[in-house]
């Protein structure tokens, strides 16, 4: 049996005092004020055991990690018709780029670039009477933790600075790929990004992707095929224009956010969440990438 606790302790010890830890996101004050020294790791194994070190129990802004969960909520509702409105190809572009969206007639390359996640948010707004509450309850359910909530200051700041996201939503609308009002859809999008979770809560919420669609409480949220598809999109698109590098270095499906969180998983084995708020130039956690590379190297566990 692999000694996961020993391995993550070793990685934490080696990286925790690293001088080069990237830059925390600076586009809103709530993120730019976060201490870059935070560094937490949490592993949830399929056998039920957990392993953790550092600031694994401090809530942080999940940001784009929420895009995997909104896709998971929308997929069983819309099934295959989802792919008529959002494609599943890596974009090779930063998460907020719009050029391809115009060239490709308003069909976002994948559900994890901002435009794609906004199209998914639109589907949730069409389906639910209170989409923000429905999404929050879904996340609470998955993590089995009712304390998870939005950070309303973050949501407000996202809105005040979200010109690119307004542009993306308007472009989608102009191509008839947005059913609802731009404001209403972005209200959900900004709130989903603002949710705060700990490493442990994220490892628990993503458990279903490693468990063929069944969450920690053994409820079947996704079919096996739906879980497989979302894992495939996490592998090819979870890290924007660094998805190739992440597959190359780490070899796991995963999703990052500009709050500095990365969740990755190996089906049938474990989920792992790392939080280190300093980002590299692609917007992914710098230490998070390094720690995961070491983790899959030391455990010899990856999809490859
Ligand atoms: N809220 C951020 C945005 O929409 C999320 C980006 C991210 O985490 N990559 O720009």
């Amino acid at each position: 049996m692999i000694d996961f606790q020993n391995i993550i302790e070793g990685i934490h010890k080696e990286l925790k005092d690293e001088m080069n830890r990237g830059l925390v996101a600076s586009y809103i004050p709530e993120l730019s004020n976060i201490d870059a020294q935070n560094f937490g790791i949490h592993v949830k194994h399929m056998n039920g055991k957990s392993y953790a070190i550092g600031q694994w129990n401090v809530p942080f802004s999940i940001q784009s990690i929420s895009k995997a969960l909104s896709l998971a909520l929308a997929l069983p509702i819309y099934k295959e018709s989802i792919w008529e409105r959002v494609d599943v190809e890596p974009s090779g572009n930063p998460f907020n780029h719009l050029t391809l969206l115009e060239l490709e007639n308003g069909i976002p390359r994948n559900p994890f670039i901002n435009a794609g996640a906004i199209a998914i948010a639109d589907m949730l707004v069409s389906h639910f009477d209170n989409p923000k509450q429905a999404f929050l309850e879904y996340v609470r359910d998955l993590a089995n933790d009712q304390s998870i909530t939005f950070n309303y200051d973050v949501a407000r700041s996202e809105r005040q600075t979200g010109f690119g996201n307004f542009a993306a939503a308007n472009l989608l609308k102009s191509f008839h790929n947005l059913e609802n009002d731009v404001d209403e859809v972005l209200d959900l999008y900004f709130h989903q990004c603002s949710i705060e979770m700990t490493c442990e809560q994220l490892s628990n919420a993503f458990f279903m992707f490693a468990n063929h669609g069944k969450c920690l409480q053994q409820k079947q949220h996704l079919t096996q095929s739906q879980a497989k598809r979302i894992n495939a999109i996490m592998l090819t698109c979870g890290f924007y224009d660094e998805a190739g590098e992440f597959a190359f270095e780490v070899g796991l499906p995963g999703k990052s956010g500009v709050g500095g969180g990365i969740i990755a998983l190996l089906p049938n084995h474990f989920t792992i969440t790392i939080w280190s708020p300093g980002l590299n130039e692609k917007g992914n956690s710098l230490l998070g990438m390094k720690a995961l590379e070491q983790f899959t190297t030391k455990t010899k566990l990856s999809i490859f």
Side-chain angles (χ1 to χ4, degrees):
M1 178 70 189
I2 298 167
D3 190 344
F4 285 102
Q5 187 63 34
N6 189 37
I7 289 176
I8 62 173
E9 277 175 18
I11 296 170
H12 188 265
K13 192 163 173 221
E14 191 184 323
L15 293 176
K16 76 176 175 12
D17 298 319
E18 174 78 44
M19 298 299 282
N20 175 21
R21 43 207 311 142
L23 295 173
V24 298
S26 57
Y27 69 101
I28 56 174
E30 292 81 5
L31 292 182
S32 65
N33 289 333
I34 303 290
D35 184 356
Q37 288 308 116
N38 282 297
F39 183 31
I41 306 178
H42 183 279
V43 178
K44 181 82 192 170
H45 198 274
M46 290 293 104
N47 64 17
K49 292 208 179 93
S50 301
Y51 310 90
I53 181 85
Q55 281 74 45
W56 58 273
N57 204 18
V58 178
F60 61 89
S61 196
I62 68 169
Q63 292 292 330
S64 283
I65 295 175
S66 68
K67 294 169 179 173
L69 299 175
S70 59
L71 176 62
L73 179 56
L75 187 52
I77 299 167
Y78 288 92
K79 305 203 168 66
E80 295 300 298
S81 74
I82 255 188
W83 315 121
E84 289 162 21
R85 293 184 54 189
V86 185
D87 207 345
V88 293
E89 293 297 335
S91 74
N93 274 332
F95 56 83
N96 48 9
H97 261 215
L98 294 177
T99 37
L100 282 175
L101 184 61
E102 186 167 27
L103 283 174
E104 294 174 353
N105 302 317
I107 304 295
R109 269 285 170 113
N110 65 66
F112 295 161
I113 54 169
N114 288 7
I118 291 168
I120 300 293
D122 180 53
M123 296 179 204
L124 297 178
V125 169
S126 294
H127 183 79
F128 290 105
D129 290 336
N130 187 342
K132 280 190 286 192
Q133 195 56 30
F135 183 69
L136 185 59
E137 275 165 21
Y138 178 66
V139 174
R140 286 174 172 171
D141 243 33
L142 290 179
N144 197 22
D145 193 329
Q146 297 302 310
S147 70
I148 296 168
T149 192
F150 301 117
N151 180 326
Y152 292 98
D153 293 332
V154 170
R156 197 175 319 114
S157 291
E158 293 281 349
R159 175 175 201 84
Q160 281 164 357
T161 57
F163 302 106
N165 289 322
F166 276 96
N170 277 294
L171 206 47
L172 287 169
K173 189 93 185 160
S174 77
F175 282 105
H176 308 290
N177 197 7
L178 206 79
E179 288 174 355
N180 301 283
D181 279 354
V182 164
D183 276 310
E184 217 182 331
V185 175
L186 288 180
D187 191 45
L188 171 59
Y189 176 73
F190 293 140
H191 279 83
Q192 71 174 69
C193 288
S194 85
I195 289 179
E196 293 191 337
M197 292 169 79
T198 65
C199 291
E200 179 182 35
Q201 289 165 339
L202 277 167
S203 294
N204 288 344
F206 276 72
F207 187 88
M208 69 168 172
F209 296 109
N211 194 34
H212 307 291
K214 232 189 244 177
C215 74
L216 264 179
Q217 291 69 248
Q218 297 303 316
K219 185 172 167 204
Q220 191 85 44
H221 288 273
L222 300 168
T223 65
Q224 186 160 341
S225 152
Q226 287 165 344
K228 179 192 76 179
R229 292 200 155 163
I230 298 180
N231 286 339
I233 303 172
M234 282 199 264
L235 181 76
T236 53
C237 312
F239 298 82
Y240 317 110
D241 46 339
E242 205 170 27
E245 182 76 15
F246 191 80
F248 184 79
E249 301 279 354
V250 179
L252 296 174
K255 188 72 204 81
S256 64
V258 291
I262 298 183
I263 159 83
L265 62 104
L266 181 62
N268 302 320
H269 288 263
F270 61 80
T271 56
I272 178 169
T273 308
I274 313 233
W275 177 46
S276 170
L279 308 176
N280 64 21
E281 64 290 348
K282 309 276 188 181
N284 297 315
S285 171
L286 196 149
L287 287 195
M289 299 272 292
K290 280 194 183 162
L292 279 165
E293 190 275 320
Q294 290 196 13
F295 183 78
T296 52
T297 304
K298 289 183 174 164
T299 58
K300 300 193 178 63
L301 290 173
S302 93
I303 62 167
F304 304 111

